[in-house]
Amino acid sequence: MLTDIQLSDYIKKRGKTMAEIKNYYFSSESVTEGHPDKICDAVSDAVLDECLKQDPNSRVACETLAKTGMLIIAGEITTKAKLDYQKIARDTVRRIGYTSSDMGFDADTCAVMEAIAEQSPDIDMGVSAGKGLFNSESSNVSEGAGDQGIMFGYAINETETFMPLTIHLAHRLAERLTKVRKDKIVDYLRPDGKSQVTVEYKDGKAARIEAIVISTQHAAGVDHKQIEADIKKHVINEICPKDMLDENTKYYINPTGLFVVGGPMGDCGLTGRKIIVDSYGGHGAHGGGAFSGKDPTKVDRSACYMARYVAKNIVASGIADRALVQFAYAIGVPEPLSVYVNTFGTAKVHDEVLANIVAKELDLTPAGIIKKLDLRRPIYEKTTAYGHFGRELPEFTWEKTDIKDLFANAK
């Protein structure tokens, strides 16, 4: 499967536009909060939230590993906060729902180990305002970027959330799977689970759902046919638009036939291993950096949020049907090295015009992004499951469309 950028380049070489690629299938996946990798994302961001709650200027790079009967929390943290890592980890795992050994993991009996050091002073020199080569003598002192890298944001007008339909549906299915478990609508479900959606596009528009995959951990002894019937009734039919399901839609529910062993017993979990689930489900592009466990001085996180904010406002303005935004940073340097906008031939103006507006009108320094999006708050554990983007929660300031007028009348 080609990414949007690869597809765009492929088409340009043949002298065509994106609009001429009309018929295709595209798939995206999501996972529940009980997936081993998502347990780790949640613990890492719970640590970050506690740091920011006590000390908004905390520097946090927190990683978590989960395996049978244990959690290992490691990383670099510089903070005035007093942290009880055991309590943070156990409370997080308990909230997710791993509360007994028959689920394969137990919040109250698992081992919690930690290996935490302070942030490297060499990194601090580049990040802290007034230090480092690029801002120590500047009259406009600002925080430098916490690392080098490229960050992407994406938006498309095929859903109300300006997210691609495939990842939107995959997230909502995973979210619903968790809800029916926690509300005991289906009382034999367990926390681990995955979803995947394939959509058929005709004439460039989403036409129908080709396939749905749901894999859900369950208690031992439950008949597979019952699981199929319950998941179709209580999950799929509650989320997927009925007019996009037809007699040819394929359903794969627990396709191995059994999913009793799950969570960290079934698979080792690591922070930051679901970066495509966290972003756009394979649409657009991804710079490669993970989000969870990182404070907002890390542009891996904050600049991706800003790029989504910009892309969403471009599309919400009505000037383009979709937009991909890229920022690039060097460690210790406040201003981005480049600003790129690609609307895949759907905009009413040249992409260069939009990129110039972004670079001129918005403060894209780490300090500017943190201020604009109000990122020094304990809001991050909520991001760890069901998408960092496309969820219009009050805390998710990057989902606002309050700067769309910047682009609406661009010429």
Side-chain angles (χ1 to χ4, degrees):
M1 179 66 68
L2 296 175
T3 67
D4 280 355
I5 285 183
Q6 290 171 327
L7 184 59
S8 180
D9 290 342
Y10 177 86
I11 295 163
K12 287 178 181 177
K13 290 177 182 178
R14 285 151 180 79
K16 296 182 178 181
T17 67
M18 289 295 289
E20 293 177 84
I21 300 298
K22 296 182 179 297
N23 304 318
Y24 58 93
Y25 297 90
F26 201 95
S27 304
S28 297
E29 70 159 344
S30 184
V31 297
T32 67
E33 62 194 51
H35 185 281
D37 294 332
K38 281 297 159 195
I39 297 173
C40 295
D41 284 347
V43 171
S44 293
D45 271 342
V47 170
L48 170 61
D49 281 351
E50 187 59 32
C51 288
L52 294 175
K53 182 178 178 181
Q54 298 183 41
D55 177 9
N57 294 311
S58 296
R59 298 279 174 78
V60 180
C62 182
E63 315 291 345
T64 304
L65 179 147
K67 190 48 188 160
T68 308
M70 77 170 86
L71 289 170
I72 300 174
I73 303 172
E76 296 77 45
I77 298 177
T78 300
T79 183
K80 296 177 183 178
K82 304 299 182 184
L83 302 178
D84 184 340
Y85 292 102
Q86 294 266 339
K87 185 177 188 305
I88 293 169
R90 295 185 193 284
D91 286 350
T92 303
V93 174
R94 190 179 300 108
R95 176 189 59 75
I96 290 170
Y98 285 107
T99 55
S100 65
S101 58
D102 70 336
M103 296 182 183
F105 206 67
D106 187 344
D108 295 311
T109 61
C110 67
V112 178
M113 293 170 276
E114 60 190 77
I116 304 293
E118 291 194 342
Q119 183 182 63
S120 161
D122 295 349
I123 297 176
D124 174 71
M125 183 184 301
V127 177
S128 296
K131 298 181 180 180
L133 292 178
F134 286 88
N135 61 20
S136 59
E137 298 179 359
S138 170
S139 60
N140 185 24
V141 175
S142 180
E143 291 180 340
D147 201 353
Q148 72 173 49
I150 54 175
M151 295 82 199
F152 288 96
Y154 185 75
I156 187 168
N157 62 6
E158 68 180 14
T159 63
E160 290 183 357
T161 61
F162 297 95
M163 288 290 284
L165 180 62
T166 53
I167 189 65
H168 174 78
L169 290 176
H171 282 323
R172 302 293 74 79
L173 286 167
E175 196 171 38
R176 177 66 182 175
L177 190 59
T178 294
K179 180 174 175 57
V180 300
R181 169 178 63 87
K182 288 189 170 182
D183 290 352
K184 301 188 183 303
I185 296 170
V186 182
D187 60 5
Y188 56 79
L189 296 183
R190 297 294 185 258
D192 198 356
K194 286 186 170 185
S195 63
Q196 186 169 289
V197 176
T198 300
V199 169
E200 181 180 4
Y201 286 78
K202 295 182 178 179
D203 293 326
K205 302 293 184 182
R208 55 180 293 275
I209 296 173
E210 167 69 11
I212 299 170
V213 183
I214 301 286
S215 294
T216 179
Q217 186 187 10
H218 58 87
V222 183
D223 182 73
H224 185 262
K225 289 185 178 180
Q226 181 182 351
I227 296 172
E228 284 188 315
D230 286 342
I231 295 303
K232 279 187 179 179
K233 177 181 179 180
H234 296 295
V235 178
I236 294 172
N237 291 342
E238 290 292 322
I239 296 300
C240 294
K242 291 179 175 56
D243 61 352
M244 296 197 74
L245 301 172
D246 58 33
E247 66 276 9
N248 294 316
T249 299
K250 303 174 182 67
Y251 300 91
Y252 301 93
I253 298 171
N254 281 12
T256 68
L258 199 65
F259 190 178
V260 174
V261 179
M265 179 177 281
D267 189 14
C268 178
L270 291 169
T271 298
R273 203 161 58 175
K274 286 290 177 284
I275 59 176
I276 299 303
V277 170
D278 286 345
S279 54
Y280 306 101
H283 295 265
H286 199 293
F291 303 150
S292 290
K294 298 176 181 178
D295 75 83
T297 68
K298 277 75 171 175
V299 284
D300 271 346
R301 181 170 221 158
S302 55
C304 281
Y305 289 179
M306 189 66 172
R308 161 63 178 175
Y309 177 59
V310 171
K312 184 174 181 179
N313 275 272
I314 288 173
V315 177
S317 76
I319 205 164
D321 293 334
R322 58 175 168 159
L324 181 72
V325 174
Q326 185 208 61
F327 303 138
Y329 291 86
I331 188 168
V333 181
E335 297 288 346
L337 307 183
S338 64
V339 175
Y340 168 81
V341 175
N342 184 353
T343 60
F344 304 93
T346 68
K348 299 173 184 177
V349 297
H350 291 298
D351 291 345
E352 182 181 353
V353 173
L354 298 174
N356 287 338
I357 292 172
V358 175
K360 181 180 178 182
E361 300 295 334
L362 300 174
D363 185 348
L364 301 176
T365 65
I369 293 171
I370 290 168
K371 181 179 179 181
K372 177 66 178 177
L373 300 181
D374 194 13
L375 297 179
R376 291 196 190 277
R377 296 174 295 144
I379 60 173
Y380 295 102
E381 190 185 349
K382 285 188 176 182
T383 68
T384 56
Y386 320 118
H388 290 245
F389 310 120
R391 298 162 63 207
E392 296 179 351
L393 302 177
E395 299 90 345
F396 290 22
T397 51
W398 50 92
E399 291 298 316
K400 293 181 178 180
T401 55
D402 55 349
I403 60 167
K404 61 185 179 182
D405 289 346
L406 276 179
F407 308 104
N409 299 313
K411 296 179 180 180

